[in-house]
Amino acid sequence: MNTTPRIHAMIVAAGRGSRFGASMAKQYTLFQGQTLLQHSVERLACSAFIEQCWLVIAADDTTAQTLNFALPVQYATGGAERWQSVQAGVEAIRQSGAADTDLVLIHDAARPAVPSCDIDKVITAAMHEPYGAILATPVADTLKHSYVVQDAGLPTYIAQTLDRSNIWQAQTPQVFRLDQLQKVLQHVSEQQIAITDEASAFESLRLPIRLVAGSRQNIKLTYPDDAALLSAILSLQN
């Protein structure tokens, strides 16, 4: 197997981040004078494996191209669903001349605190895998499965405690072989499978994706409460 493929970085920034509740797209939230998107590109720039980055943005995005980035960037237009945005980015990467065995690194714009050593670690792991690898952390908290009482005002109760011994919390970057990523995204499209990350597409076909233990500092800005913690992490890292 080729152990020195080219790395094609992609940041998916076509969503609105509705759970965050801001009027602007979440990726343009400012932290320490830069947007989340700029911070995330800057993190990728710390890796010696990455020389440029594709930004997948919404068709009506008028902000991204007004910003300065730490890497040369190219743009692709995303879709309504995350997998459609990734598929658009993959197609743009393919048209740029990428080879089947090259690696596509997919990162969330809302994860600006990923340590650079973790980026290199997941890339190195993916180089030795036929399909790919992702950053993830073992779940530390006790997990509860819930149920809702329909005739009592819809309160939520504990159904059972889940065994967390083999449960991991997925992060990004996620890194995959280009040809295999194209195939699984086509499968998702044809079968109308609901996925929340790219690794889920490989899981739907029972294809093995390697788990690489990452830092718990690599949090994702999802809810307003996350902002203070993320700001503290970025200050600590800087």
Side-chain angles (χ1 to χ4, degrees):
M1 183 186 301
N2 178 15
T3 58
T4 56
R6 293 174 61 200
I7 311 299
H8 304 273
M10 176 200 312
I11 291 182
V12 183
R16 295 290 306 175
S18 57
R19 286 176 294 178
F20 186 60
S23 57
M24 71 177 74
K26 180 175 60 177
Q27 57 268 26
Y28 299 125
T29 305
L30 286 175
F31 283 87
Q32 302 175 357
Q34 289 199 107
T35 66
L36 278 181
L37 183 57
Q38 287 173 298
H39 279 292
S40 294
V41 172
E42 188 171 47
R43 284 308 168 99
L44 298 187
C46 292
S47 172
F49 291 109
I50 299 172
E51 297 178 351
Q52 63 176 9
C53 183
W54 287 87
L55 300 182
V56 185
I57 61 176
D60 61 351
D61 188 325
T62 59
T63 303
Q65 297 188 42
T66 69
L67 301 174
N68 295 318
F69 294 102
L71 283 170
V73 298
Q74 299 185 70
Y75 296 93
T77 301
E81 302 292 336
R82 179 189 171 92
W83 69 265
Q84 294 172 324
S85 295
V86 173
Q87 192 174 53
V90 167
E91 181 60 28
I93 289 170
R94 173 66 82 185
Q95 291 180 2
S96 74
D100 282 350
T101 56
D102 284 353
L103 293 174
V104 178
L105 178 148
I106 305 166
H107 189 48
D108 290 331
R111 289 188 186 272
V114 56
S116 58
C117 60
D118 284 0
I119 298 171
D120 290 346
K121 187 163 59 172
V122 72
I123 290 172
T124 300
M127 286 181 175
H128 300 282
E129 294 293 328
Y131 300 103
I134 72 167
L135 285 180
T137 56
V139 170
D141 296 325
T142 298
L143 299 178
K144 303 293 187 181
H145 188 264
S146 66
Y147 69 93
V148 174
V149 178
Q150 298 291 336
D151 58 353
L154 302 182
T156 304
Y157 294 89
I158 296 171
Q160 61 179 330
T161 298
L162 302 180
D163 179 5
R164 70 185 181 201
S165 58
N166 292 307
I167 304 297
W168 291 64
Q169 182 172 322
Q171 300 177 336
T172 67
Q174 301 191 356
V175 187
F176 309 104
R177 297 282 171 182
L178 174 58
D179 61 338
Q180 299 298 330
L181 181 57
Q182 281 189 303
K183 290 176 183 177
V184 298
L185 290 175
Q186 183 61 37
H187 175 72
V188 167
S189 175
E190 291 172 352
Q191 301 299 317
Q192 295 294 297
I193 300 171
I195 63 171
T196 55
D197 72 348
E198 290 63 57
S200 301
F202 287 85
E203 294 164 37
S204 70
L205 289 170
R206 299 187 179 278
L207 300 174
I209 297 297
R210 183 171 170 180
L211 289 166
V212 178
S215 169
R216 297 189 186 279
Q217 294 183 19
N218 184 16
I219 69 168
K220 183 179 181 181
L221 184 70
T222 304
Y223 299 103
D225 286 353
D226 299 329
L229 178 57
L230 181 56
S231 181
I233 292 172
L234 290 172
S235 295
L236 178 66
Q237 291 177 339
N238 293 335

